[in-house]
Amino acid sequence: MKKRLLLLSILAVIFSYNTKAQTFKIISTAVFSDSLQTQQKPLLLDVRTPAEFSEGHIRKALNIDLKSESFKTEVDQLDKNKTYYVYCRSGKRSALAVEQMRVLGFKTIYELDGGMLKWVSEGMQTVKEVVK
């Protein structure tokens, strides 16, 4: 009887995990750019510092600094059911941001492979105006 109850408990945990349907992928510059063009209202999150952001960012990006003490609080206020495109300078901070967002319950997140360094090296456009 105890084994059956344990098995049922394990199956319940597995089933509840699978119903949350989360997607987290690292995607190339080309796929990232194409996705931003084809999505109706892509939600783009730049997790670099405000100084880095002001030097150039992807158009319509929201800047929430991963190094800021308020990062988790600010990100937690976003709609977790929407699809997010996340990037940083090289990919290290965006990976940390995606992990925090995953823990907070975000459903779908795409991370830019190689960050802004790769984006710029592949000739993609950046802007300098501040977008809120």
Side-chain angles (χ1 to χ4, degrees):
M1 183 66 174
K2 288 182 181 180
K3 287 182 181 179
R4 187 175 285 169
L5 184 58
L6 177 62
L7 179 61
L8 288 174
S9 297
I10 291 170
L11 289 174
V13 168
I14 291 170
F15 179 73
S16 68
Y17 177 76
N18 287 336
T19 60
K20 292 181 183 175
Q22 296 178 315
T23 302
F24 308 103
K25 292 182 182 176
I26 298 173
I27 57 177
S28 70
T29 301
V31 173
F32 198 90
S33 177
D34 288 347
S35 297
L36 296 179
Q37 306 271 337
T38 58
Q39 290 290 318
Q40 189 171 6
K41 289 187 177 181
L43 299 167
L44 189 56
L45 183 60
D46 183 322
V47 297
R48 299 176 301 155
T49 66
E52 290 172 300
F53 185 78
S54 69
E55 291 172 4
H57 56 273
I58 300 172
R59 182 176 305 281
K60 297 187 181 178
L62 171 65
N63 181 223
I64 302 179
D65 182 1
L66 178 70
K67 294 179 180 181
S68 165
E69 290 181 16
S70 63
F71 177 80
K72 191 172 180 177
T73 303
E74 289 182 60
V75 167
D76 197 29
Q77 294 174 4
L78 300 174
D79 185 344
K80 294 171 181 64
N81 294 309
K82 297 199 181 256
T83 299
Y84 289 86
Y85 295 86
V86 180
Y87 70 93
C88 65
R89 181 178 171 271
S90 65
K92 293 176 185 168
R93 284 177 279 178
S94 59
L96 294 171
V98 167
E99 178 58 23
Q100 287 189 34
M101 292 171 76
R102 185 192 66 75
V103 169
L104 289 170
F106 283 79
K107 303 291 186 231
T108 308
I109 307 170
Y110 295 102
E111 179 185 353
L112 175 59
D113 182 33
M116 283 299 286
L117 291 176
K118 194 167 186 181
W119 181 268
V120 171
S121 75
E122 293 187 10
M124 301 303 221
Q125 184 179 22
T126 62
V127 295
K128 291 189 179 185
E129 81 269 8
V130 176
V131 179
K132 294 185 180 194

